[in-house]
Amino acid sequence: ILRKLYAGGEFQNIVCAVIFPANRNLKDFYKFREVLDENPSATKLSDIKIFEKQDLLEAIQEASHVIYVTHNYFQLVPSKLNLIKTTAQFVNQSKNVERFLAVTPVELDHYFEPNPFRDAIESEEQARKACPNMTLIKSDITVGAYSQFVHYLASRLANDQGVQMKSLPSQEFTFPLDACDLADVVINALTKGETKGKQYLAQGPQQHTLREIYDIVAQKVDSKNARVGVLENIISPAATNVVSEWLYDNDYRNFVKLVSGFSTLRTDGYEKATGLGVNIKGLSSLKDNNDVRKEVYECKDNQAEKFFKSRFY
């Protein structure tokens, strides 16, 4: 989204508000900004760090357009579900905000909540009540170099690191979409037409099970030796305890929780995101993507892998 908004040059300033910034988040953002700076734009990109409610309020009061994007903060945020509602409340109080979008990809929901799918829907409904003009864009699992679920899966398989797929729901389906198409949906909702107060569901054209996605990705990165570490059969990445937090990186823990509890997204109450003028591609974009090569994926060993290799390799 940032990449396309920056390249478009429609906005004079883009301010990226980093909520509860971790060192890793900031490093990723600064690296990303350096890449953008290599292609000058009429738009200026800057960042602010949000530690308290007052920081967020002040940032929103200075904005004409606000995009809230759910992100997987894991244990860094005491109550992630309040973030979208608080943002909506502050937007509703502001006299300067012309449009407010909330983007909630299913793969970035907080899967360590007691009931992640129900809690995500409730938080979105609370935000809509707090700001009736909010435009909501709910997306299914994304595909491509800028995706979360599929890119992380490819990263692990390309590095011969298996994933916990034991409890894959066989009756649940996803309609994956290209992450770049999702960005276009967001930008069109922000800049074109009358979208205030509407809810959109962004999905690709074909349905797949998570197992089918796994098999396609494994074939594309030529994964033949991926295996799950021995420790995972003893201490699950999905367990809520200190040991699990130490052994496994947060991305993998969230991945395992998503896989084990995934449910097909409901469609009632949503308009189709294709109505925003975007031809949304599905998993075919992964098949035709020249970037899907084993060498482009980097995946650091988590503590569990390091522990296993140091003792048994």
Side-chain angles (χ1 to χ4, degrees):
I1 296 170
L2 279 174
R3 190 185 304 273
K4 288 178 175 283
L5 283 174
Y6 180 82
E10 185 167 344
F11 294 93
Q12 184 176 0
N13 295 291
I14 297 177
V15 180
C16 182
V18 185
I19 300 178
F20 297 108
N23 185 47
R24 171 186 167 186
N25 294 342
L26 291 177
K27 283 184 177 179
D28 289 345
F29 174 74
Y30 292 139
K31 183 178 180 180
F32 170 75
R33 193 167 68 181
E34 287 176 2
V35 173
L36 291 186
D37 288 341
E38 295 174 0
N39 300 288
S41 165
T43 299
K44 179 183 177 182
L45 181 63
S46 59
D47 68 285
I48 56 173
K49 303 171 185 64
I50 306 297
F51 292 99
E52 299 177 354
K53 280 187 176 182
Q54 186 63 29
D55 299 331
L56 181 60
L57 176 60
E58 292 175 359
I60 289 174
Q61 288 176 338
E62 296 294 323
S64 63
H65 296 69
V66 175
I67 303 177
Y68 171 91
V69 182
T70 301
H71 192 58
N72 44 350
Y73 294 104
F74 311 103
Q75 72 268 32
L76 293 178
V77 177
S79 182
K80 177 181 177 179
L81 302 179
N82 284 329
L83 288 175
I84 185 173
K85 181 176 71 172
T86 301
T87 303
Q89 290 171 338
F90 289 163
V91 167
N92 202 49
Q93 295 170 15
S94 173
K95 297 179 180 180
N96 297 326
V97 177
E98 300 172 18
R99 292 207 184 189
F100 170 43
L101 266 67
V103 187
T104 58
V106 66
E107 58 204 295
L108 298 184
D109 285 337
H110 196 327
Y111 288 94
F112 281 85
E113 296 290 339
N115 189 323
F117 288 93
R118 182 201 64 200
D119 293 341
I121 291 172
E122 286 184 359
S123 68
E124 292 159 10
E125 290 175 348
Q126 290 172 9
R128 282 170 54 81
K129 290 179 181 178
C131 183
N133 284 332
M134 180 184 84
T135 303
L136 176 66
I137 299 177
K138 186 79 179 179
S139 85
D140 216 320
I141 285 175
T142 55
V143 176
Y146 305 112
S147 68
Q148 180 83 8
F149 177 87
V150 173
H151 188 269
Y152 185 73
L153 173 61
S155 297
R156 289 190 64 89
L157 294 180
N159 288 274
D160 294 328
Q161 295 183 13
V163 295
Q164 285 281 8
M165 306 289 275
K166 290 180 179 179
S167 52
L168 273 177
S170 59
Q171 302 303 316
E172 302 295 341
F173 296 93
T174 176
F175 294 78
L177 69 154
D178 190 282
C180 290
D181 291 338
L182 174 59
D184 287 335
V185 166
V186 173
I187 292 171
N188 284 2
L190 186 71
T191 60
K192 300 177 181 179
E194 185 50 60
T195 62
K196 291 181 180 179
K198 294 184 178 181
Q199 293 189 113
Y200 295 92
L201 182 60
Q203 292 184 307
Q206 297 96 24
Q207 73 173 25
H208 296 273
T209 64
L210 295 186
R211 183 73 223 187
E212 289 171 346
I213 293 176
Y214 177 94
D215 291 339
I216 292 172
V217 173
Q219 182 181 25
K220 293 304 296 182
V221 299
D222 193 28
S223 173
K224 297 183 176 67
N225 300 312
R227 57 167 183 75
V228 175
V230 173
L231 281 176
E232 290 191 35
N233 296 318
I234 303 172
I235 303 173
S236 170
T240 307
N241 56 55
V242 175
V243 177
S244 180
E245 291 178 6
W246 178 78
L247 285 174
Y248 310 104
D249 63 74
N250 286 328
D251 289 327
Y252 187 45
R253 297 181 71 222
N254 221 43
F255 179 95
V256 173
K257 291 284 283 189
L258 166 62
V259 165
S260 62
F262 186 79
S263 296
T264 304
L265 290 179
R266 71 180 196 184
T267 59
D268 55 298
Y270 294 92
E271 297 184 32
K272 292 185 177 180
T274 49
L276 292 169
V278 179
N279 180 24
I280 298 178
K281 299 179 290 297
L283 206 55
S284 60
S285 66
L286 175 68
K287 295 178 183 178
D288 300 332
N289 189 341
N290 292 327
D291 288 335
V292 183
R293 303 187 305 270
K294 183 167 183 174
E295 59 267 26
V296 305
Y297 294 104
E298 297 180 0
C299 184
K300 295 180 180 179
D301 289 346
N302 56 40
Q303 293 286 0
E305 290 292 324
K306 291 177 181 176
F307 177 89
F308 182 78
K309 288 179 179 179
S310 67
R311 286 159 177 76
F312 302 104
Y313 283 10

